[in-house]
Amino acid sequence: MSTEPESPVRTFVLVPEADLGHAISKKLREDPRVQVCGVSTDPEKDMFRIWEANPDVIVADFKAGGLDFLYSDRLPPGDHKVVFFAPRSEAGCEACYEALVHGAQGIMCRPESDSEITHCDELVQSVRDGTHMRPHDCPAVLRLQAEEDVANGND
């Protein structure tokens, strides 16, 4: 049995609003097993910072670079998990579906305010433990499950 503590999960927060980004990083920092290694509002401007941080997890808003940035060669090579969030809208639902198809670890509805972040314990758990954050009633999740059922012959 190892007596060394586990390394914290290195996490980079990528959202278009600085206040929301800092609220998310503050929530994540409540857990000593999560280390926020950066916050950015502009992935194009801060691409090098993201590359240098080489995070284990990227918490990203679809407005901050979106899928084109997250699933491209502009990120450092490696096995980065992505927790993706989008607004409660048809476009947001489609973005969440695309994120899941591309391998996002988790999706969630975009917090409507900084204060709503204080109730996002699922986000911390998903980042810390690598659990899938996929709301059962989310249309993107239901769509992906239906497609997987058809592909597996389960009508």
Side-chain angles (χ1 to χ4, degrees):
M1 184 164 106
S2 175
T3 57
E4 290 183 31
E6 281 187 45
S7 296
V9 178
R10 295 176 40 76
T11 306
F12 200 99
V13 179
L14 181 59
V15 297
E17 301 94 351
D19 291 347
L20 183 60
H22 290 292
I24 291 170
S25 67
K26 180 180 178 184
K27 178 66 179 175
L28 292 170
R29 285 184 177 115
E30 290 175 4
D31 192 314
R33 295 166 290 181
V34 176
Q35 176 189 5
V36 176
C37 58
V39 177
S40 173
T41 59
D42 185 344
E44 296 299 329
K45 184 180 101 186
D46 293 329
M47 191 180 335
F48 186 74
R49 280 186 55 223
I50 298 167
W51 185 278
E52 286 267 301
N54 195 19
D56 302 310
V57 177
I58 299 172
V59 176
D61 184 303
F62 94 120
K63 291 181 181 177
L67 299 172
D68 293 337
F69 179 80
L70 291 172
Y71 298 103
S72 70
D73 60 359
R74 293 180 282 177
L75 287 177
D79 185 22
H80 307 286
K81 295 181 176 111
V82 173
V83 176
F84 187 78
F85 58 94
R88 296 170 179 96
S89 68
E90 192 172 322
C93 185
E94 183 62 28
C96 283
Y97 170 78
E98 290 297 324
L100 288 171
V101 167
H102 282 88
Q105 168 182 328
I107 59 169
M108 65 182 274
C109 288
R110 187 177 206 281
E112 307 245 337
S113 67
D114 300 350
S115 62
E116 198 174 308
I117 294 295
T118 61
H119 305 293
C120 289
D121 295 330
E122 291 171 305
L123 172 62
V124 176
Q125 180 183 0
S126 182
V127 167
R128 180 190 65 227
D129 300 334
T131 57
H132 291 283
M133 190 168 61
R134 298 182 177 178
H136 297 292
D137 60 346
C138 173
V141 172
L142 295 173
R143 179 177 165 193
L144 185 65
Q145 287 173 341
E147 290 176 3
E148 289 173 348
D149 286 347
V150 169
N152 294 328
N154 304 328
D155 293 331

